[in-house]
Amino acid sequence: MAPLSKAGAALAALREDLSGDVFAPEDVGYDEARVVFNAMIDRRPAVIAQCVDEADVVRSVRFARDLDLHIAVRGGGHSVAGMALNDGGLVIDLRHMRAVGVDPAARAARVAGGATMSDLDHATQMYGLATTGGRVSTTGVGGFVLGGGTGWLDRWSGLAVDNLLAVELVTADARRIRASAEENPELFWALHGGGGNFGVATSLTLKLHELPEFALAFLLYLPEHGREVVRTFRDLFAVAPNEAGGGVLHLTGPPDEFCPPHLHGTRLCAALLTWAGGEAGLRKMAEPLLALPHEAALVGAMPYVDAQCMIDDPPGFRNYWSAEYLSGLPDDYVEVFCADAEAMPVPTSTIHALMPQGGAIADGPSRYPVPYRDAAWVTHPFGMWEDPADDERGIQWVHDVRDHAQPWSTGAVYLNFIGAEGPERVIAGVGATNYRHLEEIKRSYDPDNVFRFNHNIRPR
């Protein structure tokens, strides 16, 4: 760490030079600037630089390097482990960099580093275009894509990284570089799942697909029908076309008009079936689910941008998640999954999710560091509650779900679905062979591990 006099002078210069705002702990607005959506996270950076353009990012990286500060990068701030913040370092906050430019003729979008899924989806929808996005509209595009990227459209249009055309990056030595299939191809490969280890992504260019129509079915069932719902959903996806996506969810009945009042606050099973197409195709696909006894049903066409908001997790809740990718979904695991649902913390905002893979996920390029591509299903315990007194039981429940899934686990995992679970899980998230190659690329672009507030890959 630099001497205080040097640090003070450097901070004053940063305030003067940066087009965006700069916050230190003594500043009004600092506490608001350091809040992320997961209320479990309470970290105090030395400086928060709210950048408005790439030049601001370059200035901020130089500032951090001059003072020997580690750097955290905030896009959507949606990392469950709070990786958008650090203690005592610099946070490069990209939330003012949210522009999305769409080229409908090229079917491509250039997305600024701080844009959210909502920004991207609203920009592309007016052209009848879309690409795989996260299942929550407030998720940051940058972290989502660079971490691999799975969402409601992934069986149809592939993982987000399968649609990545280029990344503009500011590296640890404050260089601006571009990575694509033609430019810096090794780095481009690393950005297909290696996350924020290699620099600050100031923009990403994504391939778009025609999506003039979208439809979904959302059905609520009493929990005693859960096993039948899961088996029916499983059998549907054994032969489902790529247009189909969704998942089976156990959740607390929400206090809204869709859910019958007497079920508010009770545990329910839900089936969410998404369809990259018109309502007729959705209804045909949903027939076996509609034939089961259900308490409520929403079936029909819906703008994709609206569907993306359906299960938004609002800020201010305490979050703890994890995941296991499964080789299959035999009846034995259906029993385990539903038994785990019986133990989930209710009433809370926790969701116990089981989602299909296959389709364009499995058919995508095998060369990228996304080893979960070949898994058939993923179980995703998504713990979310308000009361700190629920931390112990909520966290234990997530651990139990993971433990109980081990006999069917492929061992791979999507890193954006998990918190800080140790270096072995990072290796599981990119693959052991890929990890060694990523270590070498990390050494080339960030030999001092300046960008370490992520699912970290240490320079080799």
Side-chain angles (χ1 to χ4, degrees), residues 186 189 432-442 460:
E186 286 288 278
W189 174 86
T433 301
N434 294 328
Y435 186 83
R436 290 190 288 274
H437 191 189
L438 290 166
E439 286 179 313
E440 295 169 355
I441 298 170
K442 175 78 169 182
R460 189 176 182 185

Side-chain angles (χ1 to χ4, degrees), residues 230 234 323-340 352 354-355 357 371-372 374-380 399-413 425:
V230 175
R234 173 197 63 192
E324 286 294 333
Y325 278 73
L326 310 174
S327 57
L329 197 60
D331 286 345
D332 286 351
Y333 183 69
V334 173
E335 291 294 321
V336 168
F337 176 78
C338 292
D340 283 335
H352 185 31
L354 183 64
M355 295 174 290
Q357 293 233 114
Y372 47 86
D374 295 333
W377 292 83
V378 55
T379 184
H380 181 29
H399 289 170
D400 289 344
V401 172
R402 273 202 63 207
D403 290 345
H404 298 162
Q406 290 307 309
W408 301 275
S409 174
T410 67
V413 69
R425 285 283 269 177

Side-chain angles (χ1 to χ4, degrees), residues 13-85:
L14 184 67
R15 292 186 193 273
E16 179 69 24
D17 294 343
L18 213 71
S19 298
D21 294 324
V22 176
F23 293 97
E26 65 275 10
D27 294 332
V28 174
Y30 169 83
D31 284 328
E32 181 180 357
R34 69 185 181 89
V35 172
V36 290
F37 91 106
N38 186 357
M40 284 187 173
I41 307 302
D42 182 17
R43 294 181 182 149
R44 299 187 63 83
V47 180
I48 300 170
Q50 294 189 330
C51 301
V52 301
D53 54 24
E54 190 177 44
D56 273 0
V57 175
V58 170
R59 294 183 188 105
S60 298
V61 171
R62 287 174 177 160
F63 166 82
R65 298 313 308 272
D66 286 347
L67 297 183
D68 195 24
L69 296 175
H70 297 301
I71 300 173
V73 181
R74 177 172 186 159
H78 210 265
S79 158
V80 67
M83 294 172 180
L85 297 178

Side-chain angles (χ1 to χ4, degrees), residues 10-11 24 31 41 50 54 98 106 124 126 134 150 167 171 196 227 230 232 252 319 325 343 389 397 416 420 428 443:
L11 179 59
D31 284 328
I41 307 302
Q50 294 189 330
E54 190 177 44
R98 297 176 63 166
T124 59
M126 67 179 66
T150 170
V167 182
T171 61
R227 288 163 174 80
V230 175
T232 300
T252 298
N319 284 253
Y325 278 73
W397 175 77
N416 286 350
R443 183 184 62 208

Side-chain angles (χ1 to χ4, degrees), residues 218-237 247-250 268-273 288-295 329 334 337-338 354 377:
F218 187 60
L219 295 91
L220 295 179
Y221 306 86
L222 296 177
E224 53 261 37
H225 299 300
R227 288 163 174 80
E228 189 177 9
V229 173
V230 175
R231 289 193 294 266
T232 300
F233 202 89
R234 173 197 63 192
D235 295 345
L236 276 177
F237 275 86
V248 178
L249 316 170
H250 285 266
L268 299 171
C269 179
L272 175 61
L273 184 63
L289 294 168
L290 288 164
L292 300 176
H294 53 276
E295 304 302 306
L329 197 60
V334 173
F337 176 78
C338 292
L354 183 64
W377 292 83

Side-chain angles (χ1 to χ4, degrees), residues 83 90 121 126 141 144 166 224 234 257-258 276 321 332 364 376:
M83 294 172 180
L90 172 69
D121 295 335
M126 67 179 66
V141 175
F144 167 78
E224 53 261 37
R234 173 197 63 192
E257 292 183 6
F258 171 70
W321 326 327
D332 286 351

